[in-house]
């Protein structure tokens, strides 16, 4: 898995949006958003070299798929809607953001800046922009589906659907049970229902 090739794939997906924004060669990167202890909300890490270009940076969030040995296997979009975000260049980034230093895979040192995702803007398909927080709220609101809402009662009765409730299944039908025993069991269920209704 080559990160640059993956980044090019993700970039190609957003070409129409870049055309709408009239951007011929935008700075584009793929990043993982993460939670950091002591910080509110998700964070994004941008490298010093990316920020030193002095331009806005377009970002698509990804998830990294790892094997049992924690080796990177693939990179996939973190959001089903493939949302594009923009970090608006801040010339004071070195003073305002927390830094992180470390060694890359090649053994060379790097400096990265931890940027709150709330400072990003979401670029909608029509080219308009909304704040990251508004985008996240809309995303959460959209996740409320018909399955999570209360189901409407199909009939105005308070009695159970006997076909559904008393269908012959291995759990409620015994081959040794006589017709009178079945009727007694149903009568007992009716008594329970009557007590609940009271």
């Amino acid at each position: 898995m080559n990160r640059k090739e993956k980044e090019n794939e993700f970039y190609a997906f957003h070409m129409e949006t870049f055309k709408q924004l009239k951007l011929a060669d935008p700075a584009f990167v793929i990043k993982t958003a993460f939670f950091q202890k002591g910080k509110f909300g998700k964070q994004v890490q941008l490298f010093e070299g990316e920020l030193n270009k002095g331009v806005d940076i377009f970002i698509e969030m990804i998830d990294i798929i790892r094997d049992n040995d924690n080796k990177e296997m693939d990179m996939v979009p973190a959001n089903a809607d493939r949302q594009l975000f923009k970090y608006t260049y801040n010339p004071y980034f070195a003073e305002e953001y927390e830094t992180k230093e470390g060694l890359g895979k090649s053994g060379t040192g790097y400096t990265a800046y931890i940027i709150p995702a709330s400072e990003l803007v979401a670029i909608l398909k029509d080219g308009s922009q909304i704040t990251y927080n508004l985008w996240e709220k809309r995303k959460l609101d959209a996740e409320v589906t018909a399955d999570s809402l209360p189901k409407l009662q199909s009939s105005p009765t308070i009695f159970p659907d006997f076909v559904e409730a008393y269908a012959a299944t291995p759990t409620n039908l015994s081959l040794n049970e006589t017709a009178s025993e079945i009727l007694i069991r149903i009568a007992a269920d009716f008594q329970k229902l009557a007590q609940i209704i009271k």
Side-chain angles (χ1 to χ4, degrees), residues 17-156:
T17 306
F18 292 137
K19 284 179 187 174
Q20 267 195 322
L21 296 171
K22 295 179 175 45
L23 296 171
D25 188 24
F28 176 80
V29 293
I30 53 177
K31 296 289 178 180
T32 54
F34 57 92
F35 290 99
Q36 183 172 330
K37 188 176 182 179
K39 301 267 185 193
F40 179 77
K42 290 184 177 178
Q43 311 293 310
V44 176
Q45 177 177 287
L46 292 174
F47 294 104
E48 187 172 36
E50 295 167 336
L51 293 168
N52 278 335
K53 293 177 183 176
V55 296
D56 295 345
I57 300 171
F58 291 87
I59 302 167
E60 182 174 353
M61 304 297 182
I62 61 166
D63 286 329
I64 297 176
I65 308 297
R66 298 180 186 275
D67 66 8
N68 292 339
D69 297 323
N70 206 28
K71 181 183 174 195
E72 290 183 8
M73 301 297 293
D74 197 9
M75 297 175 201
V76 297
N79 302 302
D81 63 355
R82 303 287 307 266
Q83 183 59 55
L84 181 66
F85 297 97
K86 180 177 82 171
Y87 165 76
T88 303
Y89 176 67
N90 176 354
Y92 306 104
F93 69 88
E95 300 163 16
E96 294 182 11
Y97 301 123
E98 178 184 338
T99 59
K100 175 184 173 186
E101 295 184 354
L103 292 176
K105 291 179 184 176
S106 62
T108 58
Y110 70 83
T111 301
Y113 292 86
I114 310 302
I115 297 168
S118 61
E119 291 195 18
L120 304 177
V121 293
I123 308 296
L124 304 180
K125 298 293 180 200
D126 65 0
S128 61
Q129 302 178 16
I130 59 173
T131 64
Y132 178 87
N133 291 341
L134 178 57
W135 171 81
E136 199 169 51
K137 181 185 181 320
R138 287 182 180 177
K139 181 182 167 191
L140 289 173
D141 289 348
E143 289 175 2
V144 176
T145 62
D147 293 339
S148 64
L149 296 174
K151 295 202 176 6
L152 294 175
Q153 190 171 337
S154 58
S155 66

